Amino acid sequence: VQLQASGGGLVQAGGSLRLSCAASGRSFSMGWFRQAPGKEREFVAAISRNSGTTDYADSVKGRFTFSGDNAKSTVYLQMSSLKPEDTAVYHCAASNLFYAGRNGAAYDYWGQGTLVTVSS
């Protein structure tokens, strides 16, 4: 499975962005993680492609929405009310598990990342 993330960019605080992740092969669940400069990678959101079950980090809950288009083998992360602390490289990941959840080690494939910069 190859993953191609896109949609990052520079946005002002309070603005919105939509990240996309196109998958070349089949996977059962996907996730978004982010890594800010000088910080460890952290979980952002996860989705089960079969059930549509989603989970969000507390820091993004209510602001980010994870959705998928199985026909296009693409998932999206709609980010709204962005804050400067959301600035990071965002990576999409895919897992052969039905639901990989928050554990990065449960994901088998990783995309190259897309940079999101939120200015204050």
Side-chain angles (χ1 to χ4, degrees):
V1 176
Q2 292 185 329
L3 304 174
Q4 182 69 43
S6 60
L10 174 64
V11 63
Q12 288 188 331
S16 300
L17 279 176
R18 188 178 79 159
L19 305 184
S20 300
C21 180
S24 64
R26 183 180 180 182
S27 61
F28 290 102
S29 60
M30 297 189 71
W32 285 97
F33 292 77
R34 66 186 182 186
Q35 187 166 19
K39 295 187 177 181
E40 293 186 354
R41 184 181 67 195
E42 65 174 354
F43 167 78
V44 176
I47 192 169
S48 168
R49 301 183 72 175
N50 286 343
S51 67
T53 299
T54 56
D55 186 25
Y56 299 93
D58 289 344
S59 59
V60 307
K61 196 172 295 183
R63 300 188 298 121
F64 291 11
T65 302
F66 199 170
S67 62
D69 184 336
N70 286 336
K72 297 181 178 179
S73 297
T74 300
V75 295
Y76 306 97
L77 185 69
Q78 178 68 47
M79 307 185 296
S80 302
S81 301
L82 283 162
K83 305 175 182 180
E85 51 263 43
D86 294 318
T87 295
V89 175
Y90 284 70
H91 297 269
C92 61
S95 173
N96 293 319
L97 298 176
F98 281 107
Y99 186 67
R102 301 183 174 214
N103 182 6
Y107 290 84
D108 303 289
Y109 313 98
W110 291 82
Q112 85 288 357
T114 184
L115 177 62
V116 172
T117 304
V118 184
S119 63
S120 57

